Amino acid sequence: MTEPVALLSALAEPTRLAALRLLRDGGEHCVCELMRTLGASQSRMSRHMAVLKAVGLVTDRRDAQWVRYRLRADMPPSMSAVVQAVLALSDTAENLRSAA
Amino acid sequence: MTEPVALLSALAEPTRLAALRLLRDGGEHCVCELMRTLGASQSRMSRHMAVLKAVGLVTDRRDAQWVRYRLRADMPPSMSAVVQAVLALSDTAENLRSAA
DNA sequence: TGCCCTTATGCGCATTAACGCAAATGAAGA
DNA sequence: TCTTCATTTGCGTTAATGCGCATAAGGGCA
């Protein structure tokens, strides 16, 4: 089990949170796609994904030149609950922004 | 609505998270009690509580010399869900620690 | 007013974490 | 092997954050 504080620290960063929102579709996404979509530099995105991986939020897989990231499937329930709640919160924040 | 990232940043600190766990009993707790229970310095605890207040996690009330903090009652549902999930996660982490 | 308890705040220091750049690594294809 | 694309990593810089110390501010009480 990752320390709760470490998990929260990983989530408390805009680019990482946005990346999780993209990974929520259950699919695999390479760094190059994430960096383009989120407007982050290549090295930055790589490091951000490493942070998410370190706390067990995502898994990665080599596929030829690409590294495919996806939401970790076998997350502990209590951790998954936090992720779900955080994503839902970021949804409401997003909705409020677009409604304004 | 507080930015999700700000909320998560506020939660991603051991002393603040521990303070929230104490405030979970629904009661009011002064800074002096929190600082003693959590072993934090006075100025540190005061600032930590200010952070929690700034993101809307707690409210404070002057009571003579004391300032009584408590969990904010009228938290937005999506925010409350995050708090509940985070506290539950910190519970499991705590249980694992004491069981070890 | 003077004293004491509680809390907040200004300030400087140390640590952490993000960033950009450049170089290294891994893999595919000519 | 050489080139190219994708990703990682080392490094120096900078911004953010936590901390302690000292001080100010708020409030009760003699």
Side-chain angles (χ1 to χ4, degrees):
Chain A
M1 165 74 64
T2 309
E3 281 293 319
V5 168
L7 173 69
L8 293 166
S9 298
L11 294 171
E13 204 283 333
T15 303
R16 287 196 292 263
L17 188 53
L20 273 190
R21 286 166 60 81
L22 288 177
L23 294 184
R24 187 165 39 161
D25 65 7
E28 293 186 314
H29 300 264
C30 63
V31 177
C32 56
E33 178 195 342
L34 295 170
M35 65 171 278
R36 285 176 200 131
T37 307
L38 301 177
S41 77
Q42 195 279 320
S43 66
R44 266 301 94 199
M45 186 55 72
S46 175
R47 282 191 220 266
H48 279 314
M49 297 313 292
V51 171
L52 293 179
K53 181 184 172 186
V55 297
L57 282 167
V58 304
T59 58
D60 65 340
R61 176 178 72 91
R62 250 296 170 184
D63 177 18
Q65 302 105 308
W66 302 275
V67 174
R68 315 280 190 185
Y69 283 92
R70 63 175 144 181
L71 261 187
R72 190 174 149 196
D74 60 337
M75 225 179 281
S78 57
M79 183 167 158
S80 179
V82 170
V83 174
Q84 296 305 315
V86 167
L87 289 177
L89 177 66
S90 72
D91 285 342
T92 70
E94 187 61 35
N95 289 337
L96 288 181
R97 249 190 301 281
S98 56
Chain B
M1 166 74 64
T2 310
E3 281 293 318
V5 168
L7 173 68
L8 293 166
S9 298
L11 293 172
E13 203 284 331
T15 303
R16 287 196 292 263
L17 188 54
L20 273 190
R21 285 166 61 81
L22 289 176
L23 294 183
R24 186 164 42 158
D25 65 6
E28 294 185 314
H29 299 264
C30 62
V31 176
C32 57
E33 177 196 343
L34 296 170
M35 64 173 277
R36 285 175 200 130
T37 306
L38 301 177
S41 76
Q42 192 279 318
S43 65
R44 266 301 95 198
M45 187 53 72
S46 174
R47 281 191 222 265
H48 279 315
M49 296 314 292
V51 171
L52 293 179
K53 181 184 172 185
V55 297
L57 281 167
V58 304
T59 58
D60 64 341
R61 176 179 71 89
R62 252 295 170 186
D63 176 17
Q65 301 107 306
W66 301 274
V67 174
R68 315 281 188 183
Y69 284 93
R70 63 174 144 182
L71 261 188
R72 191 173 147 197
D74 60 336
M75 224 178 282
S78 57
M79 182 167 158
S80 179
V82 171
V83 174
Q84 296 305 315
V86 168
L87 289 177
L89 177 65
S90 72
D91 285 342
T92 69
E94 186 62 36
N95 290 338
L96 288 182
R97 249 191 299 282
S98 56

